[in-house]
Each structure stands twice: as C-alpha cells, then as structure tokens.
Amino acid sequence: MPSPPTARHLPKPADMFDRDWEWSELTAFATGRGAGPRLGVVSGRRRQGKSFLLQALAEATGGFYYAAVEASVTESLQLLGEAVARYTGASLPPRPAHWEEALDLLFSLAAAQPLPVIIDEFPYLVRNAPALPSQLQAAIGVRSGRHLERHPRILLCGSAMSFMGGLLSGTSPLYGRAGLDLVVHSLGYREAAEFWGIDDPELAVLTHAVVGGTPAYRREFVDDDVPAGRDDFDDWVCRTVLNPARPIHGEASFLLAAEPDMRDRALYHSVLAAVAGGNHTSGGIASAVGRKATDISLPLTVLRNCGLLTAQPDAFRRNRTTYHVAEPLIAFHHAVVRPESAVLSRRRGAAQVWSRSRAVFLSKVVGPHFEGLCREWVEWHADPETFGGMPIQVSAGTVADPAARTSHEVDVVVHGAVGQDHGILLSVGEVKWHKVMDLRHLERLRHILALLAARGVDTSHARPACYSGAGFTHELRAAAGRGEVVLVDLNRLYRGS
C-alpha cells in the first residue's frame, strides 16, 4: 500500500489544466492531520473532470479510489472487495456481506494515518442500497474508542446533481457531517478558449456557444478537432456536433437521460426546447409546451437542481424570474440538432441542415450566449474602476416605460459597492452580437436611467455600457473617451478589464 505524503498542499499534476482552486481544496482536505474520519462531497455536471481530479488525488496521496458501477448490492460489494485487494496487495479479496462491513473495511485502510478513500459515482450504490447514507453517517458519528484510531478522508462523488445536491441537505442523514462540499464547474469562457487553443475572440465565442467550458468535449468527444479559424467554423460544426458518428452529437440527450429524477422526459425536453427557443418566463415556457404554468413548476425545479437551467431574478422586478439553459450544448441541440434529427440520422445532409439553421444559431443561441458572457465578464474580469465600484450582483432586468406603454429589456445590470454602501446601481448595459453600436444605443440607456430615476432609484453612480461583438461607431467611441459610456468589445471581453 503506498504511503501518503505529509504535505498539506501537493503540487498540481503537470497534465491538469486550470483547476488550481479545486486541487488546493481537495489536497487540503485529503491531507488534514486531525484524528478520526472526515467526509467530503464532490459534485458537478458530467464531463467536467471530477473523476480526473479524484484519480489524480489518489495517485498523489497514495489514496484509495473506487468507481462504482450500476450493479446489484451483492455485485457492488464483491467489486469493492476486489478493488480493496488490488489496493492492499491481498492474495484473496475480502467478501463484505453488507455495507456496514464494507464501510468498516474502507475505514481500516486509514488505520495508520489520514488517507483519502474515494467513492466515485456514489449515486449508483445508493440506488440499490438507500440506507447507505445513514450507515455512513452512523460510522462517521462514532467519536470514541477504535473509531478515532482510523482516519479516512471519505470523498463521495457523483454527477446526478439533484441527488448530490440533496446529500447534505437538512433532511439528509449526512447533513452537517461534511468538511468539504466542492462543486466542479465548467471552465470559464477565457479558460475554455485557452484550453481549446483559440486566440481569435470571435471564434472563441462561436465555439463556446456550442461546447461551453466542458473539458471532455475537446478530448474525448471531438478527438481534439479544433476549428482552424473562422473560415473553418461552419465545417467544424458539420463534422462534429452535426455528425452522428461523433459522440458529441448525442451528448445533450444523454445529459438529460442520466438524471434519475426526470420521469416524463418528453416534457423535460420540451421545456428545454422552449427556453432555447427564446421563452424565458414560466408563462412563456408553459405556453410553448402547451401546459399550464402549474404543470411545469416541478420540471423547472428539477432542471434547476440538475444544473441544466438557471433562474435569474429580474434586477428591477423582484417578482419576475427568467430561465436560461445552463449548458451551451443543450441550447445548441434544441435550437439546431433536435428540429433536424430525422435528416441528420440518415448521416447525410449536415451541410444543408447547417445552411438552414445557421441564422437560428446566431440569433437564438449566440446572441443570448454572448449576453451571458458579458455578464460573466463584469462579474469575474472587470476592474472596479470600470464601473466606479466593486460589482456584487450582475443580472438582467426589465424597466417599464408607462408613457410609451412598453418596457425595456436591460441585458447587463450591475449593482455593487461604493465605499460603505452596497447594492448601488453601477451600470445598465446593452449587448449586441451582430450590430455595430452607435449613439442611439447610448441614448436608449440614458432614457432607461431617466425612467429608473423617476421611480426613485439612485442612478447617480450608474454608467451606461455598450457590449458589442461587431464594434462601435467613431461617435460612440468619442463619447467613451469623454467618460460618457463604457465600451466592451471582443478584445476587452477576452483580454481586458
């Protein structure tokens, strides 16, 4: 059995891209010197690199790693015993008769010193052994005698987000027991561009609107096929995500099928399609799928818990929430692939499908996706001086215009801190992917600020901001030079603050 190193923070493996924070948290937990067992939970949507992280952790610390499979209780216990034998070098594998005995076996691996004991795909085990979390809680809860002589750092990992999200909830036996609750997210858009080796910001946005920041999609799913340039992007779409021979083609459907809480999958697909098609309120989604708003309340909740939808409160209307597809590949699938599935299944016609669908992709997928990237830029990359304060909350909003009997959508609303005051309106912004922005866009933002001021909102610190994928006119740039507006182009989005 390998001896674990005693360092609290271990060097990150050379082949691990990004993930500095996740690696630091995992190694600190795994090498903690306290007596007795500790529990940690690692979750995140599929393909984000959780297993890669945990396997690397086991290798770096000499820990035990076991990846569960869908199997009966008897077979699962047998497979676990065989994994323990391989780890310890035992000539005969132990044969635990039940999970209490299996947990005792796992705890004994850390009798000498703290040791990571990692169970990947934990939901597979609980599916046929629902008492397992309670049994684990009972084993961890003992605080005397022989128990304190064993020091496993138990790490439970899973991709079923609804299950993993409830594992540490107030109704769970493991509530209050975990010393680590780590969610492995997708790579940020800047990190994703670096990971894909794309230097052109426009190409980076287009590619990110298809595959997002999921690391596995480059390596395993398109076999390192990266668009060579803007001129190659259309062909790249046809030979990868529109190609039934590539695994990425069917991945969006698999992400939905892998969630155990989804019973009526047709309804869930229809809800996602409605959101991808531009319906972002519960009423609009319900109308699009032909159901009452009360009928889609549960699907919306489940999709949020699974990490497939996000819900964003309106910045100016607290009783209004908008829903957005969280995984770009799913938005692409429902906007482009699903409507043409019959043609694509015949393994021909990808170029014709893309020719018909490209305009839909740009308007229904890239446009909203670019808005999200702009909000992400404000939240993660904008310098506080850009908006005269520290951004705290970034969202979208709707402002009523009673005189004109209409309302105005605001793509980027920034609230933040100025001195000791928090929640100050710092900026209202408009986003255009395909249009060169001019002074008319600035005037619209000024009008919105006037409407807000008339409602009693403090707009004294608010700066208009224009975000464009196509650039700005000379007149608008001159206004920015006078400090009248903040301009964010693609270069600033990817390289500036």
Side-chain angles (χ1 to χ4, degrees):
M1 183 187 307
S3 298
T6 58
R8 184 169 176 79
H9 293 288
L10 304 174
K12 191 179 75 170
D15 60 344
M16 183 178 293
F17 178 82
D18 196 57
R19 303 305 190 195
D20 294 347
W21 178 76
E22 291 87 348
W23 181 252
S24 175
E25 292 297 319
L26 282 171
T27 56
F29 172 82
T31 59
R33 307 309 298 176
R38 299 288 187 272
L39 173 67
V41 172
V42 179
S43 61
R45 295 204 313 271
R46 293 187 180 277
R47 322 301 190 197
Q48 305 308 322
K50 302 182 300 299
S51 297
F52 178 75
L53 271 166
L54 294 173
Q55 290 168 2
L57 179 70
E59 293 176 6
T61 60
F64 172 77
Y65 174 88
Y66 172 68
V69 297
E70 294 185 276
S72 67
V73 173
T74 299
E75 186 183 9
S76 294
L77 291 170
Q78 176 185 333
L79 293 172
L80 179 64
E82 292 171 355
V84 170
R86 288 192 297 271
Y87 178 76
T88 60
S91 55
L92 292 174
R95 299 293 185 187
H98 44 71
W99 274 110
E100 290 94 337
E101 188 175 327
L103 291 174
D104 188 69
L105 176 66
L106 292 175
F107 276 46
S108 296
L109 295 177
Q113 56 190 327
L115 185 81
V117 177
I118 301 164
I119 303 178
D120 204 350
E121 298 295 356
F122 184 65
Y124 287 161
L125 301 180
V126 179
R127 188 173 300 170
N128 288 320
L132 184 53
S134 296
Q135 294 164 336
L136 181 58
Q137 182 271 333
I140 293 174
V142 179
R143 293 296 176 188
S144 61
R146 175 171 172 261
H147 182 77
L148 288 180
E149 298 175 359
R150 301 184 295 178
H151 321 287
R153 287 2 184 186
I154 304 291
L155 280 165
L156 309 177
C157 180
S159 301
M161 292 295 288
S162 54
F163 173 87
M164 297 302 293
L167 197 58
L168 302 179
S169 68
T171 58
S172 169
L174 296 175
Y175 173 71
R177 297 294 182 181
L180 178 71
D181 184 8
L182 180 66
V183 180
V184 180
H185 294 284
S186 299
L187 298 173
Y189 70 90
R190 286 186 174 182
E191 291 75 19
E194 182 182 351
F195 183 73
W196 279 78
I198 299 175
D199 295 326
D200 180 348
E202 180 177 341
L203 180 61
V205 172
L206 293 172
T207 305
H208 195 270
V210 178
V211 294
T214 299
Y217 291 164
R218 176 179 177 179
R219 302 285 190 232
E220 294 91 337
F221 283 72
V222 301
D223 196 24
D224 276 327
D225 185 351
V226 178
R230 295 184 208 176
D231 293 341
D232 184 47
F233 177 76
D234 292 347
D235 289 339
W236 175 80
V237 169
C238 292
R239 65 180 182 258
T240 55
V241 71
L242 295 185
N243 181 359
R246 291 294 185 98
I248 198 168
H249 176 78
E251 173 67 3
S253 296
F254 174 80
L255 291 175
L256 203 63
E259 289 293 339
D261 286 350
M262 297 183 188
R263 302 292 188 264
D264 186 354
R265 300 198 185 279
L267 176 58
Y268 285 90
H269 275 294
S270 294
V271 169
L272 287 171
V275 178
N279 301 282
H280 299 298
T281 63
S282 59
I285 297 166
S287 177
V289 300
R291 299 288 186 95
K292 297 178 182 179
T294 52
D295 294 337
I296 65 165
S297 176
L298 178 60
L300 289 175
T301 299
V302 172
L303 288 168
R304 287 178 60 189
N305 291 341
C306 294
L308 300 180
L309 279 185
T310 61
Q312 300 176 355
D314 191 291
F316 303 116
R317 295 170 57 184
R318 294 301 178 183
N319 62 341
R320 183 178 187 266
T321 298
T322 58
Y323 296 90
H324 304 269
V325 179
E327 171 55 58
L329 187 63
I330 289 180
F332 181 90
H333 172 83
H334 283 283
V336 177
V337 178
R338 191 164 173 253
E340 300 278 3
S341 58
V343 176
L344 293 171
S345 66
R346 294 197 292 267
R347 300 179 183 273
R348 64 184 65 185
Q352 290 79 6
V353 166
W354 184 237
S355 178
R356 290 194 298 269
S357 305
R358 197 176 192 279
V360 173
F361 168 69
L362 293 174
S363 62
K364 298 292 187 181
V365 179
V366 180
H369 187 75
F370 184 54
E371 292 176 13
L373 295 187
C374 292
R375 289 190 287 268
E376 186 176 338
W377 176 83
V378 174
E379 189 171 3
W380 290 99
H381 303 294
D383 190 282
E385 291 302 315
T386 298
F387 299 107
M390 176 64 71
I392 295 175
Q393 182 180 10
V394 185
S395 57
T398 308
V399 179
D401 190 343
R405 296 184 178 180
T406 187
S407 61
H408 300 279
E409 301 291 333
V410 187
D411 300 322
V412 183
V413 181
V414 185
H415 286 89
V418 178
Q420 298 300 312
D421 295 326
H422 290 202
I424 299 296
L425 180 63
L426 298 180
S427 179
V428 293
E430 183 167 359
V431 179
K432 296 295 181 187
W433 166 248
H434 63 292
K435 289 184 179 180
V436 175
M437 302 185 75
D438 55 33
L439 290 176
R440 290 172 297 176
H441 297 96
L442 175 56
E443 289 305 316
R444 177 178 179 272
L445 293 172
R446 286 171 173 166
H447 178 60
I448 290 170
L449 287 173
L451 292 171
L452 290 170
R455 287 170 41 183
V457 177
D458 181 4
T459 61
S460 60
H461 296 278
R463 301 180 180 182
C466 292
Y467 307 78
S468 176
F472 312 99
T473 63
H474 174 76
E475 292 78 11
L476 190 58
R477 289 191 178 277
R482 296 189 296 269
E484 299 174 15
V485 61
V486 174
L487 301 184
V488 180
D489 58 11
L490 288 174
N491 188 61
R492 188 173 187 182
L493 188 76
Y494 275 86
R495 302 185 179 97
S497 58

